[in-house]
Amino acid sequence: MKVVVIGGGPGGYVAAIRASLLNAEVVLIEKDSIGGTCLNVGCIPTKALLHSAKLLEESKNFSDYGIDIEIKGYKWKRIQEKKSLVVNQLVSGVRKLLEISKIQIIKGEASFVNDCTLEVKKEDGNLETIKADKIIIATGSMPIVPQVPGIKDHDICIDSTKALSLEAVPKTMVVIGGGVIGIELATIYSSFGTKVIIVEALSKLLPMMDGEFTDFIRQILESKGITIMTEAKVTSIENVNGIAKVNVESNGNFKSLEVEKVLVSVGRRTNVDKLNLDKAGILHDKGRIRVNEKMETNIPSIYAIGDCLGKVMLAHVASVQGEIAAENALGHNSIYDGKTCPSCVYTNPEFAGVGFTEEELKEKGILYTIGKFPLYSNSKSLIENDGVGIVKLIFGEKYGELLGAHILGPRATDIIGECALALRLEATKEEIISTIHGHPTITEAIREAALAAEKRAIHIPNK
Ligand code: NAI
């Protein structure tokens, strides 16, 4: 069986390895660098910069911890080099894995000729025709550029890719969009001294996350000197001698902000324009490829996974869907279930959630109880970040099963894994309570939140 995967990001390369493990002959077509957005210009470089930013922030409090070191500042070039080192190591690691798996990599841009044939345009302009028994589309996404006059001035307006490798740290920056990318890059640049202003169209930051916690995140970001304008829209951008004049409208009021750079992070759209989906007869909804829970498109031999579906654009979703598509392409019957998919925002402290938010449960009319535990009552968090953060667990009222978990605190993005597993196992309040959590750990706050839901928390008063 010959499986051709289009796109070598965390969706495509995982699909390719899984197909190879199932003894398929696998070809992976990638036009740029293996690892896709995630490894090259997304998750990994962002987290590498965030780590440097966090170290710098923490260094300001060294004396509180009895450490007497004079911090002279930072070297942006060195930070960029460290980031590139991590990226290169991961990319070459993935390349090695593909090699070991005997996956043929073709560098070029693929497009459909029909439902079992692809044409690949190589870098030198040559075309190669490839036939496949099964095809997995994993072409990812690209930043959306909104219709704002002046936004295409690439000297002053940048996307997330450019923002990850700026030559110097700008003194001032407007971030358009208070979603995940906007918040993470605002966190990075404000730590390195940029005066950041976030302009968000909706009334809240991170609209898909727990509302109570996003208010908390807002306070934390503001306390770090970030200005946040919600219910605000950029109406136009002018380049005045290299300075961006950003015109913003908010509830009928107009304001002009003058900054060095404007980061545009208002979401991403599917990257399928060059695929010629119609030649293979693949159904899509304005570029969002339609699939069922087996990742099958309407064409039986063609699968699609990850960002190019235009739904949940997360690397870990793409990877899981890649495994499922590969398994189904090779005769299995695997189903994608997004119930346990965590959302992770790498602020400082981190913010992570899995399952339902209170807002979603209210909308669905599902009855629930909540248990909350503030991290100032958690010893490990108190040691690590002065106890800034909170854990909230949401349980079904009737059966006490976990419906959602939301964590703001140190390493929340790691700790949420426990909650995802609890959701998968339909764990109840009682089961979380009867699970012994190590001490001192931040995970104790999860157990305490479950106890709080029963008004029997030990380390906070029960109201
Ligand atoms: P997003 O969809 O998360 O947020 C975009 C924000 O921009 C929204 O809050 C929206 O209301 C706002 N917006 C839209 N148009 C606007 C306008 N004209 N003016 C002001 N605000 C406007 O998109 P984002 O942050 O660009 O991220 C793209 C994708 O990448 C998302 O699907 C995200 O989940 C994913 N991602 C995930 C990360 C993670 O898991 N840690 C990190 C980075 C990206």
Side-chain angles (χ1 to χ4, degrees):
M1 176 79 75
K2 182 171 175 181
V3 176
V4 175
V5 181
I6 313 173
Y13 85 71
V14 169
I17 292 175
R18 185 70 186 119
S20 158
L21 286 171
L22 294 169
N23 300 319
E25 176 197 347
V26 186
V27 176
L28 177 63
I29 307 169
E30 168 57 60
K31 67 180 168 54
D32 290 325
S33 175
I34 290 293
T37 301
C38 169
L39 264 65
N40 295 286
V41 289
C43 320
I44 302 304
T46 309
K47 269 82 244 179
L49 293 182
L50 274 161
H51 188 66
S52 291
K54 185 165 174 253
L55 290 177
L56 182 65
E57 285 215 354
E58 286 178 355
S59 74
K60 291 175 190 156
N61 301 326
F62 274 177
S63 62
D64 294 351
Y65 289 84
I67 298 167
D68 191 13
I69 299 177
E70 193 195 339
I71 304 292
K72 291 187 183 144
Y74 61 87
K75 292 197 167 75
W76 183 242
K77 192 163 168 271
R78 183 73 199 100
I79 290 170
Q80 287 286 335
E81 282 166 5
K82 179 69 184 167
K83 175 203 79 179
S84 302
L85 210 70
V86 174
V87 168
N88 294 340
Q89 191 168 339
L90 283 169
V91 170
S92 65
V94 171
R95 275 197 160 274
K96 192 87 204 147
L97 284 172
L98 295 169
E99 202 181 298
I100 294 166
S101 306
K102 299 197 169 23
I103 292 162
Q104 186 196 350
I105 301 173
I106 298 180
K107 183 149 194 199
E109 186 157 33
S111 59
F112 282 93
V113 175
N114 56 43
D115 63 1
C116 59
T117 316
L118 292 162
E119 188 173 75
V120 182
K121 191 172 174 199
K122 307 275 196 63
E123 267 180 322
D124 57 12
N126 286 335
L127 296 176
E128 183 176 341
T129 302
I130 297 173
K131 285 208 164 282
D133 297 309
K134 299 285 166 84
I135 296 172
I136 301 175
I137 308 169
T139 49
S141 61
M142 51 171 60
I144 291 174
V145 182
Q147 299 282 348
V148 172
I151 210 156
K152 290 191 178 151
D153 182 331
H154 299 303
D155 287 334
I156 47 174
C157 298
I158 55 173
D159 61 14
S160 57
T161 302
K162 188 81 190 293
L164 291 168
S165 51
L166 285 178
E167 279 180 13
V169 173
K171 287 196 174 58
T172 46
M173 180 187 276
V174 160
V175 173
I176 310 181
V180 195
I181 294 184
I183 300 283
E184 292 185 355
L185 285 162
T187 301
I188 292 172
Y189 278 104
S190 107
S191 302
F192 292 121
T194 306
K195 178 85 195 84
V196 179
I197 305 163
I198 299 175
V199 180
E200 164 60 48
L202 300 178
S203 59
K204 271 186 183 300
L205 301 176
L206 300 166
M208 69 301 180
M209 305 286 281
D210 180 279
E212 185 184 351
F213 285 21
T214 54
D215 286 345
F216 198 167
I217 282 281
R218 181 175 184 150
Q219 285 168 28
I220 292 171
L221 295 174
E222 284 175 338
S223 73
K224 292 180 187 198
I226 297 173
T227 303
I228 297 166
M229 300 170 70
T230 40
E231 295 184 78
K233 274 204 159 164
V234 172
T235 52
S236 65
I237 300 165
E238 297 159 59
N239 185 337
V240 184
N241 303 323
I243 293 291
K245 190 173 164 211
V246 184
N247 300 310
V248 183
E249 187 265 322
S250 177
N251 296 320
N253 298 315
F254 294 86
K255 206 169 181 174
S256 273
L257 308 165
E258 290 192 4
V259 288
E260 257 182 67
K261 292 284 177 216
V262 180
L263 168 66
V264 183
S265 50
V266 296
R268 298 178 64 90
R269 66 180 181 88
T270 60
N271 184 22
V272 296
D273 299 354
K274 306 242 174 90
L275 276 175
N276 283 337
L277 292 173
D278 298 341
K279 286 200 180 171
I282 300 166
L283 290 179
H284 59 95
D285 176 17
K286 292 185 189 140
R288 294 186 287 264
I289 302 176
R290 284 199 217 160
V291 291
N292 59 18
E293 75 277 13
K294 293 173 78 177
M295 313 321 299
E296 295 166 333
T297 66
N298 59 308
I299 307 295
S301 57
I302 302 178
Y303 301 75
I305 59 169
D307 284 14
C308 69
L309 307 179
K311 289 190 173 156
V312 186
M313 294 192 177
L314 295 170
H316 43 279
V317 168
S319 296
V320 170
Q321 291 179 342
E323 288 178 63
I324 286 166
E327 285 164 8
N328 290 329
L330 290 146
H332 292 230
N333 185 22
S334 302
I335 302 288
Y336 174 74
D337 174 5
K339 177 180 165 182
T340 60
C341 173
S343 300
C344 302
V345 188
Y346 294 77
T347 39
N348 185 14
E350 293 179 348
F351 181 16
V354 68
F356 289 111
T357 58
E358 280 193 71
E359 289 85 346
E360 286 167 336
L361 291 172
K362 276 185 191 136
E363 207 178 296
K364 287 177 186 294
I366 297 173
L367 298 177
Y368 62 89
T369 54
I370 60 169
K372 281 195 245 176
F373 190 77
L375 292 186
Y376 55 73
S377 295
N378 171 272
S379 50
K380 190 74 179 294
S381 178
L382 202 59
I383 294 166
E384 287 195 20
N385 82 336
D386 293 332
V388 178
I390 183 165
V391 172
K392 181 199 277 187
L393 299 186
I394 311 178
F395 297 98
E397 192 170 85
K398 192 165 175 198
Y399 302 108
E401 80 284 19
L402 185 68
L403 294 176
H406 306 277
I407 307 173
L408 182 65
R411 292 190 308 286
T413 61
D414 294 312
I415 295 164
I416 201 70
E418 169 182 344
C419 302
L421 183 62
L423 263 181
R424 163 59 67 234
L425 300 175
E426 297 179 357
T428 61
K429 235 179 291 176
E430 244 353 284
E431 285 164 329
I432 294 173
I433 291 169
S434 62
T435 302
I436 301 175
H437 290 70
H439 174 76
T441 62
I442 292 159
T443 63
E444 287 174 283
I446 294 185
R447 183 171 176 276
E448 285 271 11
L451 284 168
E454 293 209 335
K455 302 204 186 314
R456 59 180 178 114
I458 302 293
H459 293 94
I460 48 166
N462 292 286
K463 286 179 211 143

